[in-house]
mmCIF file of all heavy atoms in Angstrom:
data_model
loop_
_atom_site.group_PDB
_atom_site.id
_atom_site.type_symbol
_atom_site.label_atom_id
_atom_site.label_comp_id
_atom_site.label_asym_id
_atom_site.label_seq_id
_atom_site.Cartn_x
_atom_site.Cartn_y
_atom_site.Cartn_z
ATOM 1 N N GLY A 76 -22.380 -33.033 -27.942
ATOM 2 C CA GLY A 76 -23.773 -32.674 -28.122
ATOM 3 C C GLY A 76 -24.613 -33.862 -28.532
ATOM 4 O O GLY A 76 -24.145 -35.008 -28.555
ATOM 5 N N THR A 77 -25.880 -33.590 -28.877
ATOM 6 C CA THR A 77 -26.869 -34.623 -29.148
ATOM 7 C C THR A 77 -27.623 -34.316 -30.432
ATOM 8 O O THR A 77 -27.991 -33.175 -30.683
ATOM 9 C CB THR A 77 -27.863 -34.730 -27.976
ATOM 10 O OG1 THR A 77 -27.137 -35.002 -26.765
ATOM 11 C CG2 THR A 77 -28.873 -35.825 -28.213
ATOM 12 N N LEU A 78 -27.851 -35.361 -31.253
ATOM 13 C CA LEU A 78 -28.686 -35.267 -32.440
ATOM 14 C C LEU A 78 -29.792 -36.301 -32.326
ATOM 15 O O LEU A 78 -29.598 -37.383 -31.757
ATOM 16 C CB LEU A 78 -27.898 -35.516 -33.725
ATOM 17 C CG LEU A 78 -26.805 -34.524 -34.085
ATOM 18 C CD1 LEU A 78 -25.444 -35.051 -33.631
ATOM 19 C CD2 LEU A 78 -26.785 -34.249 -35.599
ATOM 20 N N THR A 79 -30.957 -35.992 -32.883
ATOM 21 C CA THR A 79 -32.063 -36.938 -32.922
ATOM 22 C C THR A 79 -32.331 -37.356 -34.363
ATOM 23 O O THR A 79 -32.051 -36.617 -35.298
ATOM 24 C CB THR A 79 -33.334 -36.327 -32.312
ATOM 25 O OG1 THR A 79 -33.744 -35.183 -33.089
ATOM 26 C CG2 THR A 79 -33.100 -35.883 -30.880
ATOM 27 N N ASP A 80 -32.907 -38.570 -34.510
ATOM 28 C CA ASP A 80 -33.126 -39.155 -35.844
ATOM 29 C C ASP A 80 -31.878 -38.946 -36.691
ATOM 30 O O ASP A 80 -31.918 -38.348 -37.765
ATOM 31 C CB ASP A 80 -34.350 -38.533 -36.518
ATOM 32 C CG ASP A 80 -35.632 -38.871 -35.793
ATOM 33 O OD1 ASP A 80 -35.691 -39.927 -35.131
ATOM 34 O OD2 ASP A 80 -36.589 -38.087 -35.874
ATOM 35 N N ALA A 81 -30.767 -39.472 -36.196
ATOM 36 C CA ALA A 81 -29.451 -39.049 -36.665
ATOM 37 C C ALA A 81 -28.732 -40.140 -37.445
ATOM 38 O O ALA A 81 -29.020 -41.335 -37.332
ATOM 39 C CB ALA A 81 -28.599 -38.608 -35.485
ATOM 40 N N ARG A 82 -27.743 -39.680 -38.205
ATOM 41 C CA ARG A 82 -26.839 -40.549 -38.951
ATOM 42 C C ARG A 82 -25.435 -39.984 -38.832
ATOM 43 O O ARG A 82 -25.260 -38.757 -38.825
ATOM 44 C CB ARG A 82 -27.261 -40.639 -40.423
ATOM 45 C CG ARG A 82 -26.327 -41.471 -41.292
ATOM 46 C CD ARG A 82 -26.817 -41.522 -42.732
ATOM 47 N NE ARG A 82 -28.071 -42.233 -42.836
ATOM 48 C CZ ARG A 82 -28.182 -43.545 -42.966
ATOM 49 N NH1 ARG A 82 -27.083 -44.297 -43.016
ATOM 50 N NH2 ARG A 82 -29.360 -44.113 -43.064
ATOM 51 N N ALA A 83 -24.447 -40.874 -38.769
ATOM 52 C CA ALA A 83 -23.059 -40.449 -38.640
ATOM 53 C C ALA A 83 -22.175 -41.219 -39.612
ATOM 54 O O ALA A 83 -22.307 -42.432 -39.749
ATOM 55 C CB ALA A 83 -22.562 -40.661 -37.210
ATOM 56 N N PHE A 84 -21.299 -40.486 -40.302
ATOM 57 C CA PHE A 84 -20.207 -41.063 -41.082
ATOM 58 C C PHE A 84 -18.928 -40.558 -40.424
ATOM 59 O O PHE A 84 -18.585 -39.385 -40.560
ATOM 60 C CB PHE A 84 -20.272 -40.624 -42.542
ATOM 61 C CG PHE A 84 -21.509 -41.094 -43.270
ATOM 62 C CD1 PHE A 84 -22.635 -40.282 -43.352
ATOM 63 C CD2 PHE A 84 -21.552 -42.347 -43.856
ATOM 64 C CE1 PHE A 84 -23.777 -40.703 -43.999
ATOM 65 C CE2 PHE A 84 -22.694 -42.790 -44.509
ATOM 66 C CZ PHE A 84 -23.810 -41.961 -44.592
ATOM 67 N N VAL A 85 -18.251 -41.440 -39.717
ATOM 68 C CA VAL A 85 -17.163 -40.972 -38.867
ATOM 69 C C VAL A 85 -15.785 -41.390 -39.345
ATOM 70 O O VAL A 85 -14.786 -40.942 -38.832
ATOM 71 C CB VAL A 85 -17.370 -41.443 -37.417
ATOM 72 C CG1 VAL A 85 -18.594 -40.791 -36.810
ATOM 73 C CG2 VAL A 85 -17.507 -42.970 -37.342
ATOM 74 N N GLN A 86 -15.703 -42.255 -40.325
ATOM 75 C CA GLN A 86 -14.429 -42.591 -40.951
ATOM 76 C C GLN A 86 -14.756 -43.288 -42.264
ATOM 77 O O GLN A 86 -15.925 -43.575 -42.534
ATOM 78 C CB GLN A 86 -13.582 -43.487 -40.036
ATOM 79 C CG GLN A 86 -14.224 -44.804 -39.644
ATOM 80 C CD GLN A 86 -13.366 -45.555 -38.648
ATOM 81 O OE1 GLN A 86 -12.867 -45.007 -37.700
ATOM 82 N NE2 GLN A 86 -13.169 -46.838 -38.878
ATOM 83 N N PRO A 87 -13.771 -43.557 -43.103
ATOM 84 C CA PRO A 87 -14.089 -44.043 -44.445
ATOM 85 C C PRO A 87 -14.954 -45.298 -44.506
ATOM 86 O O PRO A 87 -15.666 -45.486 -45.477
ATOM 87 C CB PRO A 87 -12.698 -44.313 -45.047
ATOM 88 C CG PRO A 87 -11.793 -43.367 -44.331
ATOM 89 C CD PRO A 87 -12.339 -43.285 -42.931
ATOM 90 N N ASP A 88 -14.918 -46.152 -43.484
ATOM 91 C CA ASP A 88 -15.668 -47.404 -43.579
ATOM 92 C C ASP A 88 -16.534 -47.693 -42.362
ATOM 93 O O ASP A 88 -16.762 -48.836 -42.004
ATOM 94 C CB ASP A 88 -14.710 -48.573 -43.821
ATOM 95 C CG ASP A 88 -13.710 -48.742 -42.689
ATOM 96 O OD1 ASP A 88 -13.669 -47.865 -41.820
ATOM 97 O OD2 ASP A 88 -12.993 -49.755 -42.672
ATOM 98 N N LEU A 89 -17.035 -46.662 -41.697
ATOM 99 C CA LEU A 89 -17.914 -46.886 -40.552
ATOM 100 C C LEU A 89 -19.014 -45.839 -40.526
ATOM 101 O O LEU A 89 -18.752 -44.640 -40.620
ATOM 102 C CB LEU A 89 -17.120 -46.829 -39.243
ATOM 103 C CG LEU A 89 -17.930 -47.160 -37.972
ATOM 104 C CD1 LEU A 89 -18.381 -48.618 -37.993
ATOM 105 C CD2 LEU A 89 -17.111 -46.887 -36.717
ATOM 106 N N SER A 90 -20.242 -46.290 -40.427
ATOM 107 C CA SER A 90 -21.374 -45.375 -40.284
ATOM 108 C C SER A 90 -22.370 -45.986 -39.315
ATOM 109 O O SER A 90 -22.434 -47.207 -39.147
ATOM 110 C CB SER A 90 -22.051 -45.109 -41.641
ATOM 111 O OG SER A 90 -22.713 -46.270 -42.112
ATOM 112 N N PHE A 91 -23.162 -45.117 -38.658
ATOM 113 C CA PHE A 91 -24.193 -45.614 -37.772
ATOM 114 C C PHE A 91 -25.334 -44.622 -37.722
ATOM 115 O O PHE A 91 -25.188 -43.441 -38.047
ATOM 116 C CB PHE A 91 -23.659 -45.902 -36.364
ATOM 117 C CG PHE A 91 -22.761 -44.844 -35.784
ATOM 118 C CD1 PHE A 91 -23.282 -43.753 -35.123
ATOM 119 C CD2 PHE A 91 -21.383 -44.956 -35.886
ATOM 120 C CE1 PHE A 91 -22.458 -42.783 -34.576
ATOM 121 C CE2 PHE A 91 -20.547 -44.000 -35.336
ATOM 122 C CZ PHE A 91 -21.079 -42.912 -34.682
ATOM 123 N N THR A 92 -26.507 -45.134 -37.358
ATOM 124 C CA THR A 92 -27.708 -44.322 -37.214
ATOM 125 C C THR A 92 -28.251 -44.515 -35.811
ATOM 126 O O THR A 92 -27.889 -45.464 -35.109
ATOM 127 C CB THR A 92 -28.785 -44.714 -38.232
ATOM 128 O OG1 THR A 92 -29.256 -46.055 -37.935
ATOM 129 C CG2 THR A 92 -28.237 -44.680 -39.657
ATOM 130 N N GLY A 93 -29.154 -43.621 -35.395
ATOM 131 C CA GLY A 93 -29.771 -43.774 -34.087
ATOM 132 C C GLY A 93 -30.932 -42.826 -33.901
ATOM 133 O O GLY A 93 -30.943 -41.739 -34.480
ATOM 134 N N LYS A 94 -31.904 -43.260 -33.129
ATOM 135 C CA LYS A 94 -32.948 -42.325 -32.714
ATOM 136 C C LYS A 94 -32.314 -41.152 -31.985
ATOM 137 O O LYS A 94 -32.742 -40.007 -32.137
ATOM 138 C CB LYS A 94 -33.966 -43.027 -31.813
ATOM 139 C CG LYS A 94 -34.882 -43.986 -32.535
ATOM 140 C CD LYS A 94 -35.844 -43.256 -33.446
ATOM 141 C CE LYS A 94 -36.818 -44.218 -34.096
ATOM 142 N NZ LYS A 94 -37.735 -43.515 -35.041
ATOM 143 N N VAL A 95 -31.266 -41.458 -31.211
ATOM 144 C CA VAL A 95 -30.467 -40.438 -30.544
ATOM 145 C C VAL A 95 -29.001 -40.827 -30.694
ATOM 146 O O VAL A 95 -28.630 -41.972 -30.430
ATOM 147 C CB VAL A 95 -30.819 -40.298 -29.046
ATOM 148 C CG1 VAL A 95 -29.909 -39.275 -28.380
ATOM 149 C CG2 VAL A 95 -32.277 -39.923 -28.865
ATOM 150 N N ILE A 96 -28.170 -39.884 -31.140
ATOM 151 C CA ILE A 96 -26.726 -40.060 -31.152
ATOM 152 C C ILE A 96 -26.117 -38.953 -30.314
ATOM 153 O O ILE A 96 -26.361 -37.774 -30.574
ATOM 154 C CB ILE A 96 -26.150 -40.026 -32.576
ATOM 155 C CG1 ILE A 96 -26.621 -41.231 -33.391
ATOM 156 C CG2 ILE A 96 -24.614 -40.001 -32.537
ATOM 157 C CD1 ILE A 96 -26.096 -41.254 -34.815
ATOM 158 N N GLU A 97 -25.343 -39.334 -29.304
ATOM 159 C CA GLU A 97 -24.655 -38.372 -28.448
ATOM 160 C C GLU A 97 -23.162 -38.403 -28.755
ATOM 161 O O GLU A 97 -22.558 -39.474 -28.763
ATOM 162 C CB GLU A 97 -24.862 -38.705 -26.978
ATOM 163 C CG GLU A 97 -26.291 -38.682 -26.504
ATOM 164 C CD GLU A 97 -26.396 -39.121 -25.059
ATOM 165 O OE1 GLU A 97 -26.040 -38.316 -24.172
ATOM 166 O OE2 GLU A 97 -26.784 -40.274 -24.823
ATOM 167 N N LYS A 98 -22.587 -37.253 -29.014
ATOM 168 C CA LYS A 98 -21.139 -37.134 -29.145
ATOM 169 C C LYS A 98 -20.623 -36.694 -27.785
ATOM 170 O O LYS A 98 -20.803 -35.551 -27.385
ATOM 171 C CB LYS A 98 -20.759 -36.122 -30.229
ATOM 172 C CG LYS A 98 -19.279 -36.057 -30.545
ATOM 173 C CD LYS A 98 -19.024 -35.145 -31.750
ATOM 174 C CE LYS A 98 -17.543 -35.122 -32.119
ATOM 175 N NZ LYS A 98 -16.749 -34.363 -31.117
ATOM 176 N N VAL A 99 -19.988 -37.614 -27.064
ATOM 177 C CA VAL A 99 -19.600 -37.354 -25.686
ATOM 178 C C VAL A 99 -18.107 -37.062 -25.547
ATOM 179 O O VAL A 99 -17.626 -36.792 -24.447
ATOM 180 C CB VAL A 99 -19.995 -38.529 -24.780
ATOM 181 C CG1 VAL A 99 -21.514 -38.690 -24.743
ATOM 182 C CG2 VAL A 99 -19.343 -39.827 -25.244
ATOM 183 N N GLY A 100 -17.378 -37.098 -26.636
ATOM 184 C CA GLY A 100 -15.951 -36.793 -26.642
ATOM 185 C C GLY A 100 -15.488 -36.617 -28.068
ATOM 186 O O GLY A 100 -16.260 -36.792 -29.014
ATOM 187 N N GLU A 101 -14.216 -36.274 -28.232
ATOM 188 C CA GLU A 101 -13.700 -36.045 -29.583
ATOM 189 C C GLU A 101 -13.855 -37.277 -30.460
ATOM 190 O O GLU A 101 -14.124 -37.174 -31.656
ATOM 191 C CB GLU A 101 -12.227 -35.634 -29.510
ATOM 192 C CG GLU A 101 -11.614 -35.286 -30.850
ATOM 193 C CD GLU A 101 -12.281 -34.097 -31.531
ATOM 194 O OE1 GLU A 101 -12.874 -33.247 -30.823
ATOM 195 O OE2 GLU A 101 -12.210 -34.013 -32.768
ATOM 196 N N LYS A 102 -13.714 -38.488 -29.869
ATOM 197 C CA LYS A 102 -13.804 -39.720 -30.644
ATOM 198 C C LYS A 102 -14.792 -40.716 -30.034
ATOM 199 O O LYS A 102 -14.752 -41.891 -30.376
ATOM 200 C CB LYS A 102 -12.428 -40.373 -30.749
ATOM 201 C CG LYS A 102 -11.389 -39.524 -31.476
ATOM 202 C CD LYS A 102 -10.047 -40.233 -31.540
ATOM 203 C CE LYS A 102 -9.019 -39.376 -32.264
ATOM 204 N NZ LYS A 102 -7.690 -40.036 -32.346
#
Side-chain angles (χ1 to χ4, degrees):
T77 302
L78 295 97
T79 63
D80 295 333
R82 177 179 294 274
F84 297 94
V85 294
Q86 59 185 45
D88 61 352
L89 184 66
S90 69
F91 45 85
T92 66
K94 287 291 184 182
V95 177
I96 293 179
E97 299 176 76
K98 187 173 182 288
V99 296
E101 184 62 25
K102 298 180 180 180

